[in-house]
Amino acid sequence: MKTISTARAFAGTQGVYSHHSDVLDCDMNFAVFVPPQAKDGPCPVLWYLSGLTCTHANVMDKGEYRRIAAERGVILVCPDTSPRGEAVADEPDNWQMGKGAGFYLDATEEPWSAHFKMESYITHELPALIAAEFPADMGRQGIFGHSMGGHGALTIALKNPERFRSLSAFAPIVSPSTSDWSVPALTKYLGADQAAWRAYDACLLVEDGKRFPEILIDQGTADSFLQTGLKPWLFEEAVKGTEIALTLRMQEGYDHSYYFISTFMADHIHWHADRLA
Amino acid sequence: MKTISTARAFAGTQGVYSHHSDVLDCDMNFAVFVPPQAKDGPCPVLWYLSGLTCTHANVMDKGEYRRIAAERGVILVCPDTSPRGEAVADEPDNWQMGKGAGFYLDATEEPWSAHFKMESYITHELPALIAAEFPADMGRQGIFGHSMGGHGALTIALKNPERFRSLSAFAPIVSPSTSDWSVPALTKYLGADQAAWRAYDACLLVEDGKRFPEILIDQGTADSFLQTGLKPWLFEEAVKGTEIALTLRMQEGYDHSYYFISTFMADHIHWHADRLA
């Protein structure tokens, strides 16, 4: 692991790091905020998965998470959204496919399967690095994310409920099998057989019996992607009658941007910190 | 005035606007955050002046001001740092001169004097536009800024103490007449006769009898420009024995970045809001 930069912020440290990922077969950057409480011992880890077109930097710059993470003593890990570099397959004119659009899945179709193994990267390789390099209590992990990253958080937590104590999302893609945003990507990454898609669709995972005790979702009513890409009511429908306690908050007048995310970031970090204490 | 974008944030509205500036003879962008309290009547106005290389966007993205501005009911105005456009003189390879480096002064030397009238723009033209277009109580104004923008805030407030009720700065250039960062720029904008520089140097303005009742300055001890560009102790020296109450806080381990600014943004907005109430 190489340190790209560190800076003091809210009495903690915001760092940017790079490492070679064997799983993704490329070099990757990620951001970690370590709160001041880390000097007294390991802190819980909260994973933030970003949306389409993002890198680690968007939430680091605009997410306004450091104040509350420092107050509550939570480490924030912000990975990139896809493999990177010259060798990685891409559709440069398509923001919903390839670089910046990894969808937190392990691709099985050529040419994508060579590098696009984001599920394995987020659930195995990067946690091992975080555990080795940071003052992290890996027994206390939470996960959240935005949009495509909300999809990542929901699907990864539903498949790994023993690993994560807390789960939330901002404007997540809850039904990528039916969303305009993701059907083309799932087809290319996973093939046309939709049976393979079920492991990467929060609604279908719940239908297939996956569970997580409590989930917080915030969704802006002025989000221009609400009707086409997001449709949180599908997830509300999916969890109905299950033991999943979903808190879905429709936030009047908010859009899909970091103005929305930063407004409710404190609520989400408190939600996680309460469950990671 | 044209609206470039608006978004709901912290129950208020973050907007970006453009207009033609007659004073600068070019089109200019600026950002305004209007807090939710504005629906009940005019709100006080806090001016944030940015540093070298910045536009209105840096503090809008990274400053983390919206939460407290919304809590305290303060309008935040974030102007650009220089005239813009093809016709405007520049030194493209010099980040301390020309575009992004207006130094909040009215240039007198060719070719700069054609457009570089940032003092007039910030103190006359833009306030008139804000008063006309926003729910602003212009009887209650405060001003602050970062680095070159801290210089702007200090010098403008010292010259207009009747207009501003509150003043603060993050890592300001307090002595541009002697700072490595600004001597070349002052020479080009104002000419070699240093008598003309005195109106744009906080230390010299105090020496020349200008006063402001209370000033808050935060300065990071790990700021790599501390010894060359900033030297806040020169201002501490300048105000000694005057009726100016200076609170200079040296913040251990903080650098010159928005990680530093965002950490102490809440303190500064509270400082202003207390005096604008």
Side-chain angles (χ1 to χ4, degrees):
Chain A
M1 186 180 86
K2 268 198 321 207
T3 300
I4 307 285
S5 66
T6 62
R8 191 167 174 84
F10 291 92
T13 302
Q14 178 64 63
V16 178
Y17 308 90
S18 75
H19 72 123
H20 181 79
S21 165
D22 292 334
V23 166
L24 303 178
D25 193 19
C26 65
D27 289 342
M28 293 292 285
N29 295 330
F30 60 97
V32 179
F33 177 72
V34 176
Q37 292 84 346
K39 66 179 181 305
D40 303 322
C43 293
V45 176
L46 180 53
W47 295 80
Y48 179 90
L49 305 185
S50 289
L52 287 162
T53 76
C54 289
T55 70
H56 67 280
N58 302 67
V59 69
M60 183 177 78
D61 289 348
K62 303 180 183 179
E64 304 193 16
Y65 58 74
R66 281 175 288 272
R67 180 180 65 91
I68 300 289
E71 182 184 316
R72 298 299 303 265
V74 173
I75 292 174
L76 249 288
V77 180
C78 305
D80 202 348
T81 56
S82 77
R84 299 286 176 179
E86 286 299 313
V88 172
D90 196 18
E91 294 185 0
D93 297 329
N94 181 359
W95 60 280
Q96 295 167 336
M97 187 67 204
K99 293 179 192 173
F103 276 96
Y104 304 101
L105 52 74
D106 283 2
T108 53
E109 302 301 296
E110 294 292 337
W112 311 103
S113 54
H115 296 280
F116 283 79
K117 302 287 185 188
M118 285 299 288
E119 182 181 29
S120 294
Y121 177 68
I122 297 291
T123 58
H124 295 295
E125 191 179 29
L126 193 53
L129 186 68
I130 297 297
E133 299 280 355
F134 294 89
D137 178 354
M138 302 306 276
R140 292 186 288 159
Q141 294 185 63
I143 190 165
F144 68 151
H146 172 233
S147 195
M148 178 184 75
H151 146 77
L154 291 172
T155 55
I156 286 172
L158 283 165
K159 288 186 276 187
N160 301 275
E162 73 298 341
R163 171 160 341 165
F164 298 100
R165 289 200 199 171
S166 56
L167 170 60
S168 76
F170 301 100
I173 302 174
V174 298
S175 176
S177 301
T178 64
S179 164
D180 292 356
W181 271 9
S182 38
V183 166
L186 295 188
T187 308
K188 290 172 193 170
Y189 285 134
L190 301 172
D193 179 0
Q194 297 197 11
W197 301 10
R198 299 187 74 86
Y200 300 110
D201 183 302
C203 287
L204 298 177
L205 284 167
V206 172
E207 193 176 302
D208 291 346
K210 300 295 185 187
R211 295 293 181 262
F212 201 90
E214 295 172 284
I215 307 173
L216 170 65
I217 294 179
D218 273 317
Q219 170 66 56
T221 63
D223 188 324
S224 55
F225 307 109
L226 183 53
Q227 301 291 336
T228 53
L230 303 171
K231 305 181 197 171
W233 47 86
L234 296 178
F235 193 64
E236 203 168 33
E237 194 59 39
V239 305
K240 208 167 268 175
T242 74
E243 60 271 39
I244 297 171
L246 172 64
T247 304
L248 171 59
R249 310 193 302 185
M250 298 302 291
Q251 301 288 4
E252 192 62 32
Y254 287 88
D255 66 15
H256 199 64
S257 73
Y258 272 93
Y259 296 117
F260 158 63
I261 298 170
S262 60
T263 298
F264 299 103
M265 179 60 80
D267 288 356
H268 282 246
I269 294 182
H270 282 308
W271 169 277
H272 289 275
D274 288 347
R275 287 155 180 82
L276 296 170
Chain B
M1 186 179 88
K2 268 199 320 210
T3 299
I4 307 284
S5 67
T6 61
R8 191 167 174 85
F10 292 92
T13 302
Q14 178 65 63
V16 179
Y17 308 90
S18 76
H19 71 125
H20 181 78
S21 165
D22 292 333
V23 166
L24 302 177
D25 193 18
C26 65
D27 289 342
M28 293 292 285
N29 295 331
F30 61 96
V32 178
F33 177 72
V34 176
Q37 292 84 346
K39 66 179 180 305
D40 303 321
C43 294
V45 175
L46 180 53
W47 295 81
Y48 180 89
L49 305 184
S50 289
L52 286 162
T53 78
C54 289
T55 69
H56 68 281
N58 302 66
V59 71
M60 183 177 77
D61 288 348
K62 303 181 183 178
E64 304 194 16
Y65 58 73
R66 281 174 289 271
R67 180 180 64 90
I68 301 290
E71 182 184 316
R72 300 298 303 266
V74 173
I75 292 174
L76 248 289
V77 180
C78 307
D80 202 348
T81 55
S82 76
R84 299 286 176 178
E86 286 299 313
V88 172
D90 196 18
E91 293 185 1
D93 298 330
N94 181 0
W95 60 280
Q96 297 167 335
M97 188 68 204
K99 293 180 192 173
F103 276 96
Y104 304 101
L105 53 73
D106 284 0
T108 52
E109 302 301 298
E110 294 293 339
W112 312 103
S113 53
H115 296 279
F116 284 79
K117 303 288 185 188
M118 285 299 289
E119 183 182 27
S120 293
Y121 176 68
I122 297 291
T123 58
H124 295 293
E125 191 179 29
L126 193 53
L129 186 67
I130 297 297
E133 299 279 356
F134 294 89
D137 178 354
M138 303 304 278
R140 293 185 287 159
Q141 293 185 63
I143 190 165
F144 68 151
H146 172 233
S147 196
M148 177 184 77
H151 145 77
L154 291 172
T155 55
I156 286 172
L158 282 165
K159 288 184 276 186
N160 300 277
E162 74 297 340
R163 170 163 337 168
F164 298 101
R165 290 201 199 169
S166 57
L167 170 60
S168 76
F170 301 100
I173 303 173
V174 298
S175 176
S177 301
T178 65
S179 164
D180 292 355
W181 272 8
S182 38
V183 166
L186 295 188
T187 308
K188 290 172 193 169
Y189 285 133
L190 302 172
D193 179 0
Q194 297 198 11
W197 301 10
R198 300 187 72 87
Y200 300 110
D201 183 302
C203 288
L204 298 177
L205 284 167
V206 171
E207 193 176 302
D208 290 346
K210 301 294 184 186
R211 295 292 181 264
F212 201 89
E214 295 172 282
I215 307 172
L216 170 65
I217 293 178
D218 273 316
Q219 171 65 57
T221 63
D223 187 324
S224 56
F225 307 109
L226 183 54
Q227 301 291 334
T228 53
L230 302 172
K231 305 182 196 166
W233 46 86
L234 296 179
F235 194 64
E236 200 167 35
E237 194 59 38
V239 304
K240 208 168 269 175
T242 74
E243 61 271 39
I244 296 172
L246 171 65
T247 303
L248 170 60
R249 309 193 304 186
M250 298 302 290
Q251 301 289 4
E252 192 63 31
Y254 287 88
D255 66 15
H256 199 65
S257 73
Y258 272 93
Y259 296 118
F260 158 64
I261 297 170
S262 60
T263 299
F264 299 103
M265 179 59 80
D267 289 357
H268 282 245
I269 294 182
H270 283 308
W271 169 277
H272 289 274
D274 288 347
R275 287 156 181 80
L276 295 170

